[in-house]
Amino acid sequence: MSSFRKALKSRQKNHHERSQPGFRKHLGLLEKKKDYKLRADDYHKKQNTLAALRKKALEKNPDEFYFKMINSQLQDGVHAPKKAKDEVVEATEEQKKMMRTQDIKYVEMKRVAEAKKIERMKAELHLLDADSKQKNCHTFFVDSKKDVQSFDLACHLKTAPELVDRVYNRPTLETLETKSIQGAVQARSMKTMAKERKHQYKILSQRIDREKKLFVISQKIQTRKDLQDNNKKVKVKKETPNAAAIYKFKAKRKR
């Protein structure tokens, strides 16, 4: 069966569209089917667009209002927006200086507010580590190397071995025996508290970064303002003539 298909395919011929005959060369290029297809598609597209516009015009509500009706005008047969009556007036140097001053005051106000919030959060958190891992080193001094090998940290601190790694709230064995434990004891509640504490530390670090960025922005605005003020002073000095030169000029004119 496959050999029959191959034999059948080999007998097939490629049929090409005929070219323009010689005696019709003066009429130009003969239109092929692909050329007709492009022309027909373009024609139908235009007809569909005209039909859609005609339908939209028939279904239009005569009482409908658009702001473009009063905000546009015809210029050489083309709709164009009307020019604004109140043209934008450029700000003067004094107005720009006032705006820069207001910007500095606003940025400084936000920075002070962030600093106050940071101080409040530091007072509430007491700078405790959320992961219960000590960042600083606590050094203990012993007399000999033998004492170093036999050194027991829990015994030295007089606390339970489970509480050695804690940075805060590390009670002694005497305190644990005499006093009752206050606060969260269950593992689930302690885990929730640790998660909340970690979230608070994250917010604190974000606020510290924001306060630093606001400080940098205020410094940049102040520097730009000072530079522009200095440039203005230099221009005024160059434009203002010297009093001695004016006096000499007047004396020459009198002579």
Side-chain angles (χ1 to χ4, degrees):
M1 190 71 181
S2 60
S3 59
F4 176 73
R5 283 203 197 108
K6 288 177 183 177
L8 190 64
K9 194 174 286 187
S10 63
R11 290 184 180 182
Q12 290 178 356
K13 293 181 180 179
N14 292 327
H15 296 280
H16 299 285
E17 288 185 289
R18 71 189 184 100
S19 60
Q20 185 75 291
F23 65 92
R24 292 177 59 87
K25 287 282 185 183
H26 65 281
L27 297 174
L29 197 68
L30 181 65
E31 187 182 38
K32 304 294 190 295
K33 185 177 179 180
K34 59 179 182 180
D35 302 324
Y36 162 75
K37 191 79 170 66
L38 291 172
R39 187 166 56 82
D41 290 343
D42 183 59
Y43 172 76
H44 289 304
K45 185 179 177 182
K46 290 176 180 176
Q47 290 297 317
N48 293 335
T49 305
L50 289 172
L53 290 171
R54 202 174 291 114
K55 184 180 178 183
K56 191 175 181 181
L58 287 171
E59 295 176 353
K60 183 178 172 59
N61 184 5
D63 298 327
E64 199 166 1
F65 173 77
Y66 295 97
F67 279 102
K68 284 265 184 173
M69 295 175 181
I70 57 174
N71 292 337
S72 62
Q73 57 186 356
L74 280 174
Q75 292 180 357
D76 299 330
V78 180
H79 281 279
K82 286 184 179 179
K83 292 182 180 178
K85 293 181 181 178
D86 301 328
E87 293 182 355
V88 180
V89 181
E90 291 186 2
T92 59
E93 287 296 327
E94 292 182 359
Q95 289 173 344
K96 288 179 181 178
K97 189 176 179 181
M98 182 66 69
M99 285 190 287
R100 284 186 219 105
T101 308
Q102 289 175 353
D103 290 343
I104 292 169
K105 287 180 180 178
Y106 175 76
V107 172
E108 196 62 26
M109 180 192 72
K110 298 296 286 183
R111 190 188 70 78
V112 171
E114 286 292 335
K116 287 180 179 178
K117 288 177 183 177
I118 288 165
E119 291 298 326
R120 201 180 304 122
M121 289 187 73
K122 281 182 178 179
E124 290 175 358
L125 294 170
H126 302 291
L127 296 177
L128 302 176
D129 193 4
D131 295 331
S132 299
K133 290 181 181 178
Q134 196 170 3
K135 292 183 179 179
N136 299 325
C137 294
H138 190 171
T139 307
F140 295 96
F141 295 93
V142 293
D143 296 330
S144 62
K145 292 183 178 180
K146 188 177 180 181
D147 294 336
V148 173
Q149 293 175 359
S150 62
F151 185 77
D152 189 4
L153 187 59
C155 184
H156 187 80
L157 295 173
K158 297 179 182 179
T159 185
E162 294 83 4
L163 303 177
V164 169
D165 295 333
R166 298 187 70 172
V167 182
Y168 61 95
N169 193 14
R170 189 167 52 198
T172 59
L173 292 171
E174 185 181 353
T175 307
L176 291 171
E177 289 173 0
T178 55
K179 295 184 179 179
S180 60
I181 299 172
Q182 296 180 356
V185 181
Q186 296 179 357
R188 186 176 179 182
S189 57
M190 290 180 69
K191 191 176 180 180
T192 306
M193 288 175 63
K195 190 176 180 181
E196 181 65 25
R197 191 164 56 249
K198 190 174 182 180
H199 179 65
Q200 291 294 325
Y201 275 108
K202 188 178 179 181
I203 293 172
L204 178 61
S205 64
Q206 288 175 356
R207 288 194 181 280
I208 291 169
D209 292 340
R210 197 178 300 127
E211 193 265 339
K212 288 178 181 177
K213 288 177 182 177
L214 287 170
F215 178 75
V216 172
I217 290 167
S218 65
Q219 290 293 317
K220 285 183 178 180
I221 295 171
Q222 185 64 42
T223 306
R224 196 181 297 120
K225 183 186 173 187
D226 294 340
L227 287 171
Q228 288 179 352
D229 291 343
N230 291 335
N231 291 336
K232 192 176 179 182
K233 286 179 183 177
V234 170
K235 285 181 181 178
V236 169
K237 284 181 181 178
K238 286 182 179 178
E239 290 174 0
T240 306
N242 193 0
I246 293 170
Y247 179 74
K248 286 180 182 178
F249 180 71
K250 285 182 178 179
K252 284 181 182 179
R253 286 189 65 183
K254 284 180 181 179
R255 288 178 187 175

